[in-house]
Amino acid sequence: QVQLVESGGGLVQAGGSLRLSCAASGDIICISAMGWYRQTPGKERELVADITSLGSTNYADSVKGRFTISRDNAKNTVYLQMNSLKPEDTAVYYCNGVRYGHEYWGQGTQVTVSS
């Protein structure tokens, strides 16, 4: 089992920044990819960004140039630096980890961007 715990969400004004953190624990060996997803009421969960164990990254078009995902393997933590936030970035953000084809999820952290 893998446990993922997010932190860093909150309320910020448009144009501001937040950094989300996701700490992994448990059977963390061979976690191949970690990422961030977000979800708003009535919509499906969508990929924001992900990063492989080798550091390759992938971003949703809507966040390219504004968000940066990074990974500290020594701390078993993945980060999402969010800059130039927009009201449409408001959502619950979930950390995701993939290990041997199984997906693991954190409990989610709320990000609210006011206009």
Side-chain angles (χ1 to χ4, degrees):
Q1 291 292 326
V2 175
Q3 293 80 44
L4 302 173
V5 178
E6 302 105 332
S7 60
L11 173 64
V12 64
Q13 288 188 333
S17 299
L18 282 174
R19 188 177 82 153
L20 305 183
S21 300
C22 173
S25 61
D27 294 332
I28 59 176
I29 300 298
C30 296
I31 292 178
S32 56
M34 295 186 73
W36 291 93
Y37 288 70
R38 65 187 182 188
Q39 189 171 24
T40 55
K43 293 189 177 181
E44 293 191 357
R45 197 170 294 186
E46 64 175 4
L47 174 69
V48 176
D50 59 19
I51 183 167
T52 70
S53 58
L54 297 179
S56 296
T57 58
N58 178 48
Y59 295 92
D61 288 342
S62 60
V63 307
K64 283 181 180 176
R66 300 188 297 122
F67 291 10
T68 302
I69 190 170
S70 60
R71 182 171 177 169
D72 186 335
N73 289 328
K75 294 183 177 181
N76 304 314
T77 300
V78 64
Y79 304 96
L80 185 68
Q81 178 65 44
M82 305 185 293
N83 298 328
S84 302
L85 282 160
K86 304 175 180 179
E88 51 263 44
D89 294 318
T90 295
V92 178
Y93 283 70
Y94 295 91
C95 181
N96 169 273
V98 179
R99 181 176 181 271
Y100 296 129
H102 292 281
E103 287 194 296
Y104 298 88
W105 295 94
Q107 80 285 357
T109 185
Q110 177 71 45
V111 171
T112 302
V113 184
S114 63
S115 57

